[in-house]
Amino acid sequence: PMMFDAALEEFLLNELAEDEEFYWIELLNYKNKESDTIYQNWIINEVLPSINNNNNNDDAELIYQGQLKDLSYKDIIIIRYPSGRAFYDNLWKSPSFEEKIQYRYDGLIF
């Protein structure tokens, strides 16, 4: 079953401030890093630029991507999104989301 279901969509719509920035933090462990890299590249090369082209200088930004000293996780990714609406419209509702999220499922240990 999809982890990104109606409950998460409800959270995105009702709990994230539509017009306030927020930070998306991911602590990652991999079963297939190459697969997850396809998803990460989509975020970095398509989703973030899409937000940046549509938000009047209120840009999304990859703040940090790298390894942790804590051996519980392999990598950490921190992204600043300008608003919940920008995240929802450009990632969650992207026509590519259903295809790309499969790479994340194939790549990560949940």
Side-chain angles (χ1 to χ4, degrees):
M2 293 288 289
M3 289 180 56
F4 295 94
D5 59 9
L8 181 55
E9 185 167 15
E10 184 177 332
F11 169 79
L12 294 174
L13 289 172
N14 297 319
E15 300 299 327
L16 286 180
E18 188 168 313
D19 60 352
E20 292 179 18
E21 76 177 19
F22 73 97
Y23 293 81
W24 186 264
I25 300 171
E26 297 181 318
L27 301 171
L28 306 173
N29 280 318
Y30 303 103
K31 61 183 173 185
N32 180 342
K33 186 168 179 155
E34 291 77 23
S35 183
D36 192 60
T37 297
I38 294 170
Y39 175 84
Q40 290 179 25
N41 287 341
W42 172 66
I43 297 292
I44 293 166
N45 296 322
E46 294 181 37
V47 173
L48 299 183
S50 174
I51 291 171
N52 296 344
N53 289 334
N54 294 320
N55 275 304
N56 302 321
N57 297 324
D58 195 11
D59 291 348
E61 177 184 9
L62 177 64
I63 302 292
Y64 182 79
Q65 180 176 14
Q67 295 183 328
L68 290 171
K69 291 182 180 179
D70 177 352
L71 297 179
S72 300
Y73 298 98
K74 297 292 183 197
D75 286 331
I76 183 172
I77 296 174
I78 303 171
I79 298 174
R80 185 189 64 78
Y81 287 95
S83 67
R85 176 56 59 190
F87 176 85
Y88 183 80
D89 289 346
N90 292 279
L91 185 129
W92 185 267
K93 289 308 213 182
S94 165
S96 302
F97 180 76
E98 290 294 325
E99 171 198 347
K100 300 298 184 182
I101 197 64
Q102 292 305 313
Y103 292 106
R104 170 123 297 183
Y105 290 139
D106 292 344
L108 295 182
I109 298 170
F110 291 98

